[in-house]
């Protein structure tokens, strides 16, 4: 099965910073990659699908890029409400493996 | 309004069984693949299983194959997860999620889980 590896596992940044989280697939998955945001005690929220398509209602400071085995999630200007754990997920074929998560905090 | 509401969780001894349910409303349930995703306490997300619209295809993560069975009743707008031979490592919040296709390009369709339930806690302990 394809493994998904996120880095870093945790990240601390200041309000207004540009933040980038990476996700690597052990085999190529084309553009079949989704990103989710999960705040403590809440259900995951879909941010991006197809590697770079912003889900309706998601702020434009979030963006995704990549294809094949390397993907990134970027927050262009970090806001206090972005404190959360972020997960990537392959969505081409089962199993729909998630990355291990990146915990984002405000410095 | 789309709603997914899980039930059936609880405390069960190792080796025991439990059946989870997910009641769906606000969309045409029979038109979507559906999945179960779990999250152990303080841990990350783990996809567990998915089922096709008519129940004819089912897929599982290796760790639950042969022990868990996903099923659905489109007449009742409900998704199920029968869990047998439970282990301590199955302890988690189990959530149902809709498999959504955002768009297709040629032969490729791209999607994600766009709606999730709040989950039901399963604790496997003696």
């Amino acid at each position: 099965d394809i493994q998904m590896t996120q880095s870093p596992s945790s990240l601390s940044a200041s309000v207004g910073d540009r933040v980038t989280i990476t996700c690597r697939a052990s085999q190529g998955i084309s553009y079949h990659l989704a990103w989710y945001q999960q705040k403590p005690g809440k259900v995951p929220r879909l941010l991006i699908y197809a590697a770079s398509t912003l889900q309706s209602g998601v702020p434009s400071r979030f963006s995704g890029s990549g294809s094949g085995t390397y993907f990134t999630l970027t927050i262009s200007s970090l806001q206090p409400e972005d404190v959360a754990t972020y997960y990537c997920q392959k969505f081409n074929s089962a199993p729909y493996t998630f990355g291990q998560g990146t915990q984002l905090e405000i410095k | 309004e789309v709603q997914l509401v899980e039930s059936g969780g609880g405390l069960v001894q190792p080796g025991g069984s439990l059946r989870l349910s997910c009641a769906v409303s606000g969309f045409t349930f029979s038109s979507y693949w559906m999945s179960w995703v779990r999250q152990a306490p303080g841990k990350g997300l783990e996809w567990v299983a998915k089922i096709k619209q008519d129940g004819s295809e089912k897929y599982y993560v290796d760790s639950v194959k042969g022990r868990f069975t996903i099923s659905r009743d489109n007449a009742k707008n409900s998704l199920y997860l029968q869990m047998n031979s439970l282990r301590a490592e199955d302890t988690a919040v189990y959530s149902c999620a809709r498999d959504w296709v955002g768009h297709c390009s040629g032969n490729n369709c791209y999607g994600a889980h766009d709606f999730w339930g709040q989950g039901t806690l399963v604790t496997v302990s003696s």
Side-chain angles (χ1 to χ4, degrees):
Chain A
D1 290 341
I2 296 174
Q3 305 303 311
M4 306 300 293
T5 304
Q6 284 181 237
S7 62
S9 56
S10 64
L11 175 58
S12 182
S14 300
V15 172
D17 281 356
R18 182 180 183 89
V19 171
T20 298
I21 298 168
T22 66
C23 178
R24 294 180 186 270
S26 60
Q27 297 176 41
I29 57 170
S30 184
Y31 296 92
H32 296 278
L33 194 283
W35 288 98
Y36 301 88
Q37 175 194 65
Q38 187 180 31
K39 297 183 178 181
K42 301 295 186 180
V43 301
R45 175 194 184 191
L46 174 62
L47 298 177
I48 287 167
Y49 69 97
S52 62
T53 303
L54 202 65
Q55 177 67 338
S56 177
V58 174
S60 59
R61 64 180 180 273
F62 292 92
S63 65
S65 67
S67 67
T69 62
Y70 184 78
F71 303 88
T72 61
L73 172 70
T74 298
I75 307 173
S76 61
S77 178
L78 186 65
Q79 299 302 304
E81 60 266 31
D82 299 335
V83 170
T85 300
Y86 293 83
Y87 295 93
C88 63
Q89 182 194 29
K90 64 178 281 288
F91 215 83
N92 55 334
S93 60
Y96 288 160
T97 308
F98 289 91
Q100 77 276 21
T102 296
Q103 190 171 4
L104 177 58
E105 299 176 341
I106 299 290
K107 194 181 294 182
Chain B
E1 179 190 8
V2 171
Q3 287 194 318
L4 298 87
V5 180
E6 301 89 344
S7 60
L11 175 63
V12 61
Q13 292 189 341
S17 298
L18 216 52
R19 189 195 194 208
L20 306 183
S21 299
C22 170
V24 164
S25 61
F27 66 95
T28 305
F29 178 66
S30 60
S31 295
Y32 291 87
W33 285 78
M34 295 293 297
S35 287
W36 286 97
V37 178
R38 66 184 179 183
Q39 187 167 31
K43 302 297 184 182
L45 300 169
E46 181 180 32
W47 177 86
V48 174
K50 73 170 187 174
I51 185 169
K52 194 175 181 178
Q53 290 91 331
D54 62 0
S56 63
E57 294 182 37
K58 305 174 184 181
Y59 299 89
Y60 302 90
V61 68
D62 283 349
S63 59
V64 309
K65 282 179 183 175
R67 300 189 300 122
F68 289 13
T69 301
I70 189 172
S71 62
R72 64 192 296 162
D73 186 335
N74 288 340
K76 294 183 178 180
N77 286 342
S78 292
L79 178 71
Y80 306 101
L81 188 66
Q82 176 67 43
M83 303 186 297
N84 299 330
S85 303
L86 282 161
R87 307 166 180 167
E89 54 265 35
D90 296 319
T91 294
V93 172
Y94 286 74
S95 298
C96 54
R98 188 174 82 168
D99 290 14
W100 169 77
V101 174
H103 68 263
C104 294
S105 176
N107 292 327
N108 288 301
C109 289
Y110 302 93
H113 302 307
D114 64 339
F115 286 101
W116 300 62
Q118 289 287 342
T120 185
L121 176 61
V122 172
T123 303
V124 184
S125 175
S126 55

